[in-house]
Amino acid sequence: MASEDLRIGVVGVGERASLALHAHRPGAGSRVVACADPHPRGVQAARELFGPGVAVHGDHRPLLEAGLDAVMVLTPDHLHAKAVLDALHAGVAVFVEKPLAVTTEDCDLVLRTAQATGTRLYVGHNLRHAPVVREMRRLVLEGAVGRVRAVWCRHFVGHGGDFYFKDWHAERRHTTSLLLQKGAHDLDVIHWLAGGSTREVSALGDLAVYGDITDRRDRGGERMSEWHDPEANWPPTALTGLNPVVDVEDISMLNGRTDNGVLVSYQQCHFTPDYWRNYTVIGDHGRLENFGDLDGAVVKVWNSRRSGYREDADETVAIPRPRDGHADAHGGADRRLVEEFLEFAANGGPTETSPVAAREAVAAGHAATRSLRDGGAPVQVPALPAELTSYFAQGQPSADGTG
């Protein structure tokens, strides 16, 4: 083992564990040396992914005593906070997959603990590294549509029944809601494009389709790849084998206002035939939106007067494929995300992702969930204390003042 390799641990070896393969580069800077997963299948998966020599523990606490440089928390969402808090107290730099947690209160506890311990915290909002989102952000910052006044997102979640209603995602006690769990990605992007965070929100939602399906089964010993067939299960009402408990909404709509006065809207549906996100940014000098959200997508800008619909835009930006050919399931974003985390864990410094922004996405989703389950009543989103915001804005400086 090269002496300069970072020693990486992985907590949770499930569907998202393949993300850690981007950190497993023996002799080239980092190596996964230990994993933790309580399920026998997790042990098998860890050795298949990272080699037969990887140490595997049934609990994450012994892993944190193994002399690690960093840990990646890839557990189900409701288990994030406990593992992250333990890693922070152990002084091990931590990557946690989005969402940071499933309640605002747990997010705030994690941020306070990161500040108190001085341990580096990184949240895996990979869409900040997605080429289509970065192009939209660039255009906004360059003033292509003038001052931003509204940001909308329509999220068409094709395969939503297979992806989110056959396992733990379907239960409120594990997710709060899919508006939070699944929407945290998009709420973060909305905030990034708007340049602010939601402070007032109202929402409506319903369990419109999957609540009527009575064919249920416990899939605790299965992986999604074993039950998902992209060519089957259509229409959505034909799905079978849903989670025994299904009590989260399969369609939801959020309206809000950010702290800098931008109006935001997010619509999420889990029974559409297609699977992609459409962001629209409207400024006082035009609008822009994406068509497609991976390789081959385009971003169109309209900023001259016209009457009626015209498909041609004033500017069209094609989203190129990664120059190095290293595409992955999120247009190369996963790889870039992990590379940024490894650099941050080793050396500190500014990052594109933000623990504060990750908290704000959860807080908006959490408040919106309260609203939609209270008939759409407006809910205020609490702001973070200024000292926490400042700490993370400075790049999480250590006691000696370095990042």
Side-chain angles (χ1 to χ4, degrees):
M1 182 185 299
S3 60
E4 65 271 18
D5 276 356
L6 294 177
R7 293 169 54 82
I8 310 298
V10 175
V11 180
V13 194
E15 290 289 349
R16 197 65 173 124
S18 59
L19 181 68
L21 284 173
H22 296 292
H24 189 52
R25 306 177 301 185
S30 59
R31 174 190 297 257
V32 174
V33 298
C35 297
D37 197 296
H39 199 284
R41 294 200 60 173
V43 176
Q44 176 187 356
R47 289 175 177 154
E48 290 175 352
L49 286 169
F50 309 115
V54 67
V56 185
H57 305 273
D59 185 273
H60 67 270
R61 287 167 293 186
L63 177 145
L64 296 174
E65 300 171 358
L68 300 175
D69 297 299
V71 64
M72 299 181 71
V73 176
L74 307 175
T75 65
D77 299 345
H78 63 291
L79 303 177
H80 284 182
K82 171 60 176 171
V84 171
L85 289 168
D86 287 345
L88 294 173
H89 283 297
V92 180
V94 58
F95 172 109
V96 55
E97 175 66 319
K98 72 87 195 168
L100 175 57
V102 296
T103 68
T104 307
E105 294 78 12
D106 275 352
C107 287
D108 291 355
L109 177 59
V110 167
L111 295 189
R112 289 196 302 269
T113 302
Q115 181 190 35
T117 61
T119 306
R120 289 170 179 159
L121 172 66
Y122 186 96
V123 187
H125 275 280
N126 59 0
L127 287 186
R128 290 203 175 202
H129 291 276
V132 68
V133 172
R134 295 180 69 83
E135 280 297 326
M136 297 183 82
R137 166 111 168 139
R138 178 187 66 80
L139 289 164
V140 166
L141 291 178
E142 291 179 357
V145 296
R147 181 184 176 190
V148 175
R149 305 306 303 172
V151 181
W152 304 338
C153 175
R154 298 180 300 161
H155 194 178
F156 312 106
V157 190
H159 311 304
D162 274 330
F163 285 9
Y164 298 103
F165 288 86
K166 291 186 175 181
D167 63 5
W168 56 267
H169 293 88
E171 301 188 41
R172 295 182 183 189
R173 66 192 180 107
H174 293 152
T175 66
T176 297
S177 72
L178 291 170
L179 185 56
L180 184 159
Q181 190 279 338
K182 179 63 172 167
H185 264 325
D186 298 295
L187 291 169
D188 179 56
V189 172
I190 288 170
H191 290 164
W192 207 34
L193 296 174
S197 299
T198 302
R199 284 290 165 261
E200 180 182 3
V201 65
S202 61
L204 294 173
D206 200 1
L207 181 52
V209 171
Y210 300 119
D212 295 333
I213 296 175
T214 58
D215 190 293
R216 310 285 179 89
R217 62 187 266 191
D218 183 357
R219 296 182 179 273
E222 300 178 47
R223 297 288 177 90
M224 186 187 70
S225 55
E226 296 172 329
W227 70 66
H228 173 53
D229 180 353
E231 304 303 322
N233 297 331
W234 187 262
T237 52
L239 260 66
T240 59
L242 269 60
N243 194 63
V245 176
V246 176
D247 61 2
V248 298
E249 296 78 11
D250 53 20
I251 184 168
S252 51
M253 305 176 184
L254 171 161
N255 288 317
R257 186 190 302 272
T258 66
D259 47 17
N260 62 336
V262 177
L263 297 179
V264 298
S265 179
Y266 174 57
Q267 297 89 42
Q268 178 192 94
C269 182
H270 286 266
F271 44 90
T272 59
D274 46 350
Y275 198 169
W276 65 291
R277 299 168 167 91
N278 169 251
Y279 298 108
T280 300
V281 181
I282 301 176
D284 58 13
H285 193 67
R287 71 177 176 90
L288 61 84
E289 63 181 297
N290 64 294
F291 295 87
D293 54 12
L294 296 174
D295 296 347
V298 297
V299 177
K300 292 188 175 184
V301 182
W302 291 269
N303 54 18
S304 64
R305 182 171 295 280
R306 60 192 59 225
S307 178
Y309 173 74
R310 281 177 52 188
E311 182 178 354
D312 62 304
D314 295 293
E315 181 178 358
T316 299
V317 180
I319 305 304
R321 297 184 181 277
R323 292 181 180 178
D324 54 10
H326 286 87
D328 58 35
H330 294 96
D334 283 1
R335 175 178 54 85
R336 290 186 288 270
L337 182 82
V338 175
E339 288 175 350
E340 181 177 68
F341 166 65
L342 294 173
E343 172 64 24
F344 174 68
N347 301 309
T351 59
E352 290 283 19
T353 69
S354 160
V356 169
R359 180 268 188 193
E360 296 289 18
V362 169
H366 194 184
T369 301
R370 289 172 53 200
S371 174
L372 72 84
R373 292 175 185 164
D374 189 27
V379 176
Q380 299 299 311
V381 182
L384 274 171
E387 63 271 17
L388 270 180
T389 302
S390 175
Y391 172 74
F392 288 99
Q394 295 174 57
Q396 306 179 49
S398 58
D400 61 6
T402 62

